[in-house]
Amino acid sequence: MLKRVRLPQGHYFLHTRLLSSSIQLRPPPRAPDKLSPCPGAQSTASSQLSAPPTTPPTTKHIRNPSPIPEITDQVEKLLISAPEDDEFIQSLQRDNALFSHAVNHDSVRKIAQALASGRRPLLSLRFLSIVHSLGCKLKNNAYECVAFCLAQQKNWNGVIAVVSLSQQHRGRISSRLLNWRTRAQVECEDYNALQHTLKDFGEEKQGPSRRTFHLILSGHLRNRNLPQAKRCFEEMAEAGYPPDASTHAIVATHYRRLGTDPDVEARALEALSGLNPITAVAVLNSLITLRLDVKDVDGALRLLTLFNPTDIKPIVSVMTDGKGLAGLHATSFQQNLNISTILVPNAATYSIFINYQASRSNLHGALQIFRAMVATTTQATPGVVASLIHALYVGNKGDIAIRVVAQMCSMDDGLSPLFDSLLLSKTARSFPWLPTGISPTIRVFNSLLKGVLSTHGLRGMEVVLRIMHKCNVKPSAATLEILMRHVKRMEFGHARLLSRILRRLMSADVLPTLRHAHIVLSTVIRTEKNIVYGFGWDNTAARFSNTRSAAERPYPTHRISNDATFFDPMAGIELPHALRHRSLARPMVESLQSRNILSDSPILALRIRHDALIKSDLNAAKEIFDAMLDRGIHPNEYHFSALMEGFSRAGDVNGALNVMESAKRAAVKPNVVMFTIIIVGYAHKGNPDKAIQTFEDMISSGIAPDVPSIDAVASAFFVVGAYDMAKTVLRTLWTYIQPFPAEFEGASMKRLVEGFRLLHNKQQRYGDFELPKQDRLALHFKLKSLITLWCEGDNHEWRKPRYFKRTNRSIHQELPNNDSE
């Protein structure tokens, strides 16, 4: 049925022939390039994965960044109090001691480093510019070390700015600064600029290093651009850098955006023996994550056995419910790889499995893994803290999560009342672990924000933003994504509102991403589905009634998305002019286009769903599916579900079943959504017997039902007029979700359905696809306050908000074992 549903073998572009030919064409070996961010600094192990490194250079060249703290503090205060450069220069000239530091290039470098590592890092750029105007001739290492400090804070726009400053002051850019700029462009997803990297090296008369090619390669893989990645390999070989173990490590750590590929995993595992331990651990972490992404727990555990057995024992116990690794053939797997070095899991390893347990709502398991990490010498990181916060909120321990973050923050800024306002109980016990020496990062606050939104709504987000401002932590693109997802799911915001939020909060530091586009586009397609097919059981039941006839729905062409003249970044979908969808989303689309961002897997899944479901064009949907395979993107359950829904709506349930079988052959396990699509298909055909049989097959497959699947089974009886049976089915299957509530005894069918659907709070509510006017206006006012707060702060260079228009529509202390208290 599907031309190319089975995954193509050998899709990995690093084919053996390519590698062998690259090695045969190897030019004479070049002298090893220095990989450190500052002159003479030794290379770090992490530099093989992402370059330049994010670990500090050696103390020989970067000493204490603030050898004279009082001088640095004095400079910072002067920069803040003197908004004009002339005022600052006059203040310097009145203090001979301070002025002597400002014209000494070594002192300037150290002061700039300290400023770049402080709460106002961009002051370092202004300081460098001023001292240059005073005649201080700075060396390259001043700019390189400031770039390093800014990169440590993930201030990528600042990195690009300091490289430009170096070019202005010195007339050229060093190779290290060019690499820093390339890294920043990759992190900012500016893949258009990435295409000119080698040309920039040539113009500066600098030779690209292996690090340079690895940066370019990582960028193309992040952008899912396999042709450009293959070309990068060819250019590497021509430049005298044939692929080595570190190259395979780069591929393995960035291939997640394309999906699981057995060839990628095999080559990465072969390269482990040639990598240093830190890099090898990072590669294994990436491979484990890929396995868990496709719910292959056994495969993830086999990879986990490559770590030190003593360290992974607690993780294995939690992941296998104490059963161990029997049956996984772990010993033979280890022997085949022949890795001599003992690999020790790092904080990221524990974080992966804490997140997995949180995804299964298993707080006890997550805490056991965290407890195991604390018992080792592994230093906790902000990433682990973020995972812990997520797990605590999933386990309804939000107050403990709030106290953990509060302990990370300095209470000198009056933060205690803000944290107290988020607590649901003033008597909640504290967490028996202190995050000593860990500063709160945006990742930690984003994890906290997700939880606070679930308990306090938008008002809780206001408090979190105030805390972030006081801690001098800026919102990121991920923060904006969290807000948009909440407005979509819990505030029932429509696509126009989501686009307005994005337009008002996007800035140089918060650029639109495909994840933002996915939120807007999925909301549009949901609305279009309701316009085309209607919603609710009664709409379908009318087609089987003897007394009613289903209303004919003319296809609303002007309100449906069209095919765009360009495919990327929106997978060829052009939003309709109706209700200003296209004009409101234009800034987002133009930003993505200007950075040459290609469509990703979720956007392609939406395009398949749009063609198959909204336009009822299954041939076009299958063409998009094939085009996705040609790009090397592996299909997942969302792509197969989109095709299945198209067949089901067209009345071809057998076609939908064939797609589900194709998914199995492609190693994509059927999930509850796929079975629900089949059940809905039988319901639309008026076949409740087949619907309930499919539900039984799903249960027999070990798949737990959810609210939509049970709702679909009950609807199959309702549409054929078997109302008593529909009510009985709903009441009986209710127990799969929770015990049947006593207050619904004797309730009407309508009240039963409404109460049952409220249990599925992660989905859009059923019924009318827009909020009543009063609720919409209330939501607008809440968001006004949030946007104003978002843009607060003297050090936050965001645009001023524009108002919405009204629309018509101790470490060794044991953690508590009783996690249910």
Side-chain angles (χ1 to χ4, degrees):
M1 183 203 65
L2 292 176
K3 299 178 184 177
R4 300 175 56 196
V5 169
R6 297 191 66 180
L7 291 179
Q9 296 298 318
H11 222 321
Y12 184 25
F13 55 85
L14 295 179
H15 197 271
T16 305
R17 295 178 181 174
L18 172 60
L19 284 177
S20 60
S21 62
S22 299
I23 294 173
Q24 292 169 3
L25 295 175
R26 183 188 308 176
R30 298 179 48 159
D33 56 314
K34 296 180 180 179
L35 300 179
S36 56
C38 290
Q42 297 175 359
S43 63
T44 62
S46 62
S47 66
Q48 297 187 40
L49 279 184
S50 60
T54 57
T55 54
T58 58
T59 56
K60 178 180 178 181
H61 291 276
I62 293 187
R63 305 177 183 89
N64 186 342
S66 183
I68 312 174
E70 59 273 15
I71 296 297
T72 302
D73 292 340
Q74 192 175 353
V75 169
E76 182 177 6
K77 291 177 182 177
L78 286 177
L79 287 169
I80 296 172
S81 61
E84 299 295 333
D85 291 352
D86 290 341
E87 295 180 41
F88 178 77
I89 293 173
Q90 291 174 7
S91 299
L92 280 179
Q93 292 172 340
R94 286 194 294 266
D95 190 325
N96 292 332
L98 191 59
F99 186 81
S100 65
H101 283 287
V103 295
N104 180 283
H105 66 84
D106 193 51
S107 295
V108 167
R109 175 177 60 80
K110 296 173 183 177
I111 294 172
Q113 278 182 251
L115 291 172
S117 301
R119 298 184 61 179
R120 296 174 174 85
L122 295 184
L123 290 178
S124 62
L125 303 182
R126 185 183 171 203
F127 179 66
L128 289 176
S129 181
I130 292 174
V131 298
H132 175 76
S133 68
L134 293 175
C136 182
K137 302 300 181 182
L138 299 173
K139 298 180 180 180
N140 280 326
N141 66 343
Y143 304 96
E144 291 166 359
C145 295
V146 169
F148 172 80
C149 295
L150 292 171
Q152 280 193 309
Q153 299 191 37
K154 300 188 183 301
N155 191 330
W156 303 112
N157 286 325
V159 171
I160 294 174
V162 76
V163 175
S164 298
L165 201 63
S166 172
Q167 187 175 33
Q168 294 174 19
H169 294 173
R170 296 183 54 81
R172 58 179 301 180
I173 309 174
S174 69
S175 60
R176 292 187 182 90
L177 284 175
L178 286 171
N179 279 338
W180 277 122
R181 184 169 69 183
T182 304
R183 170 77 184 276
Q185 289 166 348
V186 171
E187 297 293 343
C188 292
E189 297 187 331
D190 189 356
Y191 304 118
N192 186 51
L194 200 64
Q195 297 176 1
H196 308 290
T197 298
L198 296 181
K199 180 181 177 182
D200 293 343
F201 271 82
E203 291 177 351
E204 296 295 331
K205 295 180 173 56
Q206 302 283 355
S209 63
R210 180 180 293 276
R211 179 192 304 276
T212 306
F213 288 108
H214 281 181
L215 284 168
I216 297 172
L217 176 61
S218 67
H220 292 318
L221 290 175
R222 289 187 184 195
N223 198 29
R224 303 154 295 276
N225 194 335
L226 291 188
Q228 287 296 324
K230 181 177 179 180
R231 181 181 177 185
C232 180
F233 270 92
E234 296 169 351
E235 291 172 338
M236 279 182 64
E238 293 172 1
Y241 302 110
D244 61 3
S246 63
T247 308
H248 292 292
I250 288 288
V251 175
T253 52
H254 292 92
Y255 212 81
R256 184 182 181 187
R257 301 192 185 197
L258 291 159
T260 304
D261 190 305
D263 291 339
V264 173
E265 181 179 291
R267 293 185 182 277
L269 292 175
E270 290 173 3
L272 284 180
S273 58
L275 299 173
N276 62 69
I278 296 179
T279 305
V281 169
V283 171
L284 275 180
N285 287 343
S286 297
L287 297 179
I288 290 171
T289 302
L290 279 168
R291 287 290 184 177
L292 293 178
D293 283 346
V294 296
K295 300 176 178 61
D296 183 7
V297 177
D298 289 347
L301 290 177
R302 272 193 293 270
L303 292 168
L304 187 65
T305 60
L306 298 178
F307 288 106
N308 183 16
T310 303
D311 292 324
I312 67 169
K313 188 175 180 180
I315 300 177
V316 172
S317 178
V318 173
M319 294 294 292
T320 62
D321 295 326
K323 298 176 182 177
L325 298 172
L328 292 179
H329 307 289
T331 303
S332 60
F333 179 71
Q334 296 168 350
Q335 292 173 347
N336 292 335
L337 292 175
N338 191 25
I339 301 175
S340 58
T341 306
I342 298 177
L343 301 178
V344 179
N346 60 11
T349 312
Y350 290 99
S351 181
I352 291 168
F353 289 99
I354 291 173
N355 285 330
Y356 178 77
Q357 293 301 320
S359 70
R360 301 176 65 225
S361 301
N362 185 2
L363 174 61
H364 180 71
L367 289 181
Q368 280 185 292
I369 295 174
F370 181 79
R371 204 178 288 128
M373 187 201 75
V374 171
T376 67
T377 58
T378 304
Q379 180 64 42
T381 64
V384 171
V385 175
S387 300
L388 176 64
I389 292 168
H390 174 55
L392 288 169
Y393 265 103
V394 169
N396 296 319
K397 303 291 182 182
D399 282 5
I400 297 179
I402 293 168
R403 286 187 164 90
V404 169
V405 179
Q407 290 168 346
M408 299 173 68
C409 301
S410 171
M411 292 297 147
D412 298 336
D413 296 327
L415 292 175
S416 184
L418 292 174
F419 280 110
D420 289 343
S421 67
L422 295 175
L423 296 174
L424 298 177
S425 172
K426 304 303 180 183
T427 59
R429 65 185 182 185
S430 61
F431 196 62
W433 173 78
L434 297 176
T436 307
I438 306 175
S439 299
T441 64
I442 185 58
R443 187 172 178 180
V444 171
F445 279 117
N446 282 342
S447 185
L448 176 66
L449 179 59
K450 288 180 184 179
V452 168
L453 280 171
S454 67
T455 56
H456 294 75
L458 294 176
R459 291 193 177 277
M461 183 174 181
E462 291 185 27
V463 178
V464 175
L465 286 175
R466 294 187 186 279
I467 296 172
M468 289 170 60
H469 289 327
K470 289 182 177 293
C471 294
N472 204 46
V473 176
K474 290 185 178 183
S476 64
T479 314
L480 178 53
E481 179 192 347
I482 292 168
L483 170 61
M484 292 176 65
R485 289 196 185 280
H486 174 82
V487 171
K488 174 189 173 184
R489 293 179 177 179
M490 307 308 296
E491 306 291 343
F492 317 114
H494 48 70
R496 301 190 307 281
L497 177 59
L498 295 171
S499 294
R500 288 190 178 104
I501 294 173
L502 181 58
R503 288 184 64 165
R504 282 154 178 77
L505 297 183
M506 58 185 285
S507 67
D509 291 328
V510 182
L511 294 173
T513 68
L514 285 177
R515 300 175 73 91
H516 300 138
H518 183 268
I519 297 171
V520 174
L521 188 56
S522 62
T523 308
V524 170
I525 291 179
R526 186 201 70 222
T527 301
E528 292 176 352
K529 176 186 174 182
N530 290 331
I531 293 173
V532 174
Y533 297 106
F535 39 78
W537 292 359
D538 197 57
N539 182 68
T540 306
R543 296 193 290 111
F544 297 93
S545 174
N546 295 324
T547 60
R548 296 182 296 156
S549 59
E552 293 292 332
R553 290 178 171 271
Y555 190 78
T557 304
H558 68 290
R559 299 189 64 182
I560 303 300
S561 300
N562 301 316
D563 293 342
T565 56
F566 45 85
F567 189 81
D568 295 301
M570 302 290 285
I573 297 179
E574 185 174 56
L575 298 180
H577 281 298
L579 302 178
R580 298 186 62 207
H581 284 311
R582 189 179 303 178
S583 61
L584 287 171
R586 186 175 294 117
M588 172 189 70
V589 176
E590 289 177 348
S591 175
L592 296 171
Q593 282 181 314
S594 67
R595 290 176 281 149
N596 197 30
I597 295 178
L598 305 185
S599 303
D600 65 355
S601 180
I603 291 289
L604 288 166
L606 287 174
R607 172 62 191 267
I608 294 171
R609 186 168 190 250
H610 178 264
D611 287 353
L613 182 63
I614 308 302
K615 298 176 67 175
S616 301
D617 191 343
L618 289 167
N619 291 327
K622 287 186 281 187
E623 288 178 2
I624 298 297
F625 191 93
D626 290 340
M628 178 184 70
L629 292 179
D630 290 337
R631 289 189 170 203
I633 299 177
H634 299 264
N636 55 34
E637 62 269 27
Y638 298 104
H639 305 100
F640 288 109
S641 296
L643 279 174
M644 288 177 63
E645 193 170 9
F647 279 102
S648 176
R649 274 290 181 177
D652 187 1
V653 181
N654 289 331
L657 288 169
N658 289 335
V659 174
M660 189 159 69
E661 288 300 318
S662 298
K664 293 179 183 179
R665 293 194 297 270
V668 176
K669 298 178 182 179
N671 58 14
V672 65
V673 175
M674 293 181 179
F675 278 101
T676 302
I677 290 171
I678 301 299
I679 295 171
V680 170
Y682 284 127
H684 288 167
K685 293 176 70 69
N687 193 337
D689 295 334
K690 283 285 190 179
I692 200 165
Q693 179 62 51
T694 302
F695 184 84
E696 292 175 355
D697 293 341
M698 180 183 74
I699 301 299
S700 300
S701 300
I703 299 174
D706 59 0
V707 171
S709 61
I710 296 173
D711 187 285
V713 175
S715 72
F717 291 94
F718 182 89
V719 298
V720 296
Y723 304 129
D724 291 339
M725 185 62 185
K727 188 174 181 179
T728 301
V729 167
L730 182 59
R731 175 169 177 166
T732 302
L733 298 182
W734 194 303
T735 57
Y736 277 103
I737 308 300
Q738 67 172 35
F740 187 79
E743 62 267 24
F744 284 108
E745 291 287 351
S748 64
M749 184 68 189
K750 180 179 179 180
R751 185 170 176 236
L752 276 178
V753 173
E754 290 175 346
F756 184 67
R757 289 172 176 171
L758 289 176
L759 301 179
H760 195 60
N761 56 10
K762 293 184 179 180
Q763 290 284 339
Q764 297 292 330
R765 70 178 186 180
Y766 285 69
D768 198 3
F769 55 86
E770 287 202 353
L771 284 173
K773 184 175 181 180
Q774 182 178 357
D775 292 347
R776 280 189 280 123
L777 290 176
L779 177 58
H780 283 319
F781 285 121
K782 288 182 184 178
L783 290 171
K784 279 190 208 174
S785 176
L786 273 180
I787 292 173
T788 301
L789 185 58
W790 179 296
C791 302
E792 278 184 358
D794 297 333
N795 303 308
H796 299 271
E797 300 171 0
W798 300 309
R799 289 185 293 178
K800 294 182 179 180
R802 299 196 300 267
Y803 292 104
F804 289 105
K805 295 180 180 179
R806 290 192 179 185
T807 58
N808 297 325
R809 307 256 307 169
S810 112
I811 290 294
H812 298 293
Q813 184 175 357
E814 186 179 3
L815 300 177
N817 287 309
N818 187 2
D819 303 314
S820 61
E821 293 180 1

